[in-house]
Each structure stands twice: as structure tokens, then as C-alpha cells.
Amino acid sequence: MLSKTLLVALATLFSATPTLAVDCTREGLISAAQSYLAAQIAGSPSTLKLSASNFTYQQNNKVSTIAKSLLSTPYKIDYNRTSADTIDCASYTLWISTAGSKPYVVGTQIRHANNNTAEISMIDTVAATTGDLFFNATKTLDYIRKEDWSPLAASSRPSRDLLKKVGDGYLDMWTDAKAADSIPWGTDCERVEGSQYTNPCGKSLPRGGSSKKNGMRRYVIDEVLGSVDVLCQFDSLGAWPDSHEVRVQEGKVKYVHTITVMKVG
Ligand SMILES: *[C@@H]1O[C@H](CO)[C@@H](O)[C@H](O)[C@H]1NC(C)=O
Ligand SMILES: *[C@@H]1O[C@H](CO)[C@@H](O)[C@H](O)[C@H]1NC(C)=O
Ligand SMILES: *[C@@H]1O[C@H](CO)[C@@H](O)[C@H](O)[C@H]1NC(C)=O
Ligand SMILES: *[C@@H]1O[C@H](CO)[C@@H](O)[C@H](O)[C@H]1NC(C)=O
């Protein structure tokens, strides 16, 4: 006969573990991002493991069909880099293609539902090409290749909270006159906006002026690389699909990259 105490203990044990908690792993996120790059090089989205019940493809802030997307054309990739957010189970991949008549600089966030990195639930891409703001893939590649994106020592990683604040603070500079001074600018820090280079990156910043806040913000935050990427719609200046990525080292901003889809002329 089981004692009453034991039955209560067993009931508590089972009710406390209704489902198995699954962790989102860095390895899983990076491996899914690599499958995305392989599909892009092949021009073949059918190789991707997409969720059958919950998948969305978005390109330049519009939901669209993956079969007709950038992924269905092969591109030679000169540079790629991925950051990983194990809390939101998402990754950010930057890739640059300088070859051919249609060069690209692309920022893609990949999301996974229920921490299941074996399946992709969203591919969210901002893709800039010839004619977009400050676009020159060759120049961008030259700047970005020289950067050091090695993982930060565990003792000097910025908090998730700080990274989120830096990402938001940056995008708020056009609507909030005080936002620029809320950001910890590094002294030797580089800003690459499209192919336009500024050093130090805290030079000539906007201080308000627009009444429209930059909207549609989607975040990938990686404490290991000290980075935040925010995909958004750059409403302060126009309804432009945009990616802003910032790296923080030793508590200060080290790199800023922007990809902005704005056809000029
Ligand atoms: C997903 O994984 C993260 C990181 O391990 C964890 O904090 C979170 O609770 C998990 N979420 C779910 C729905 O299991
Ligand atoms: C991505 O970049 C790494 C170097 O950081 C390189 O080893 C790898 O081959 C690249 N992958 C693709 C698909 O180009
Ligand atoms: C579908 O995927 C999105 C991420 O792309 C996630 O936020 C959402 O919770 C998922 N829905 C379900 C029902 O799993
Ligand atoms: C891009 O920049 C490179 C290096 O400055 C230059 O040689 C090239 O002509 C530029 N390309 C275009 C399309 O403007």
C-alpha cells in the first residue's frame, strides 16, 4: 500500500513536469543558418527544413512566396557571418555577393518555433542591391572583411538588456533628440552604412527631427558576439526596409552596419 504522503509527492512530481523543456542551442541555430546559406548558393529553397504547419517567408518587409524569392536564384557568396539568439531562438546572417550583374548585401533573420532548430518557422530577409542607399557591395565587403568578430571573453560580454537598449537607442535617434547621448560610443568605432564609412561612429549623428518612429522592429541579440541586429521599417525617413546591426566590445559600440533598401531614381 502506498502511503498518502508518497501519493502526494508523486502527484506533485508529475504536475511539475507537464512537458519536457527544450533548450534552443547555438549549434542548432548556426547549423540552420548554414543550411540557409547552402540553399542560397544552390538557388534551391526546397533543400530547407521548413515547418509544415508554421512557416512564413518575408522579403523586404513583405510576406511573399519562398519559391519566387531571392533564395530561388543561385548567388556566389563572398562573405557570411552569423549571430545567434538562444533566448528568442533566432539567428541573423549577413551575406555579401559581389559577383555578376546583380550584387547583393543581405541581412536575414531566421526564427524557430518552440525552440526547435531542426525546423525553420520564419525567414525574414532585407536584401539591398544596385540603386539602394549607398550601395556598393565591393566597398562594403572590403570594410567588413577587415573587422574582428571573434567571440567575446565570458567576463566582458554585454548584457542582453544593454544590447537591446543600444539597438533601440540607435533607431530612436531620428525621433528622440536625447537618444544619441544614451549610446556608449567607442572611440575607435566604425560605421558602415551601405558602403559609406564613418570613424568614429559617434560622429555626425541625428538628434531628433522626425515625428515617425522607426517601426516593425525584429531583434536578434547575441551576448557571445556582443551584437544586436534589428530589422525594421525606417519610417523616420521613408518606409524603407532596413537592417541595423551593432557590435559592443568592452561595453562600447565598436561596429555599426546598415542595409537599407531604398531605390534612388
Ligand atoms: C527555449 O530555450 C531558452 C534557452 O535555453 C529558454 O530560456 C526558454 O525557456 C525555452 N523556451 C521554451 C518554450 O522551451
Ligand atoms: C562562411 O564563412 C566562413 C568563414 O567565416 C567560411 O568558412 C564558410 O565557408 C562560409 N560559408 C559559405 C556558405 O560561404
Ligand atoms: C510560429 O512561428 C513563429 C516564429 O516564426 C512563432 O513566434 C509562433 O509562436 C509560432 N506559432 C506556433 C503556433 O507555434
Ligand atoms: C564600388 O566601389 C569600388 C571601390 O571604390 C569602385 O571601384 C567601383 O567602381 C564602385 N562600383 C560602382 C558600381 O560604383
Side-chain angles (χ1 to χ4, degrees), residues 4-62:
K4 197 177 168 205
T5 316
L6 183 58
L7 282 173
V8 169
L10 280 170
T12 310
L13 179 69
F14 284 105
S15 66
T17 53
T19 50
L20 268 182
V22 182
D23 281 345
C24 178
T25 65
R26 199 170 179 85
E27 295 68 31
L29 290 169
I30 287 168
S31 144
Q34 279 166 350
S35 76
Y36 158 78
L37 286 168
Q40 185 64 75
I41 289 165
S44 174
S46 61
T47 57
L48 292 167
K49 294 203 176 64
L50 308 176
S51 164
S53 58
N54 180 21
F55 175 71
T56 307
Y57 181 79
Q58 184 161 276
Q59 189 168 306
N60 292 342
N61 289 353
K62 287 204 181 71

Side-chain angles (χ1 to χ4, degrees), residues 3 27 29 38 83 89 101 127 129 174 180 234 245 257:
S3 75
E27 295 68 31
L29 290 169
S83 52
C89 213
S101 57
T129 186
W174 286 262
F234 215 83
E245 186 188 33
H257 298 318

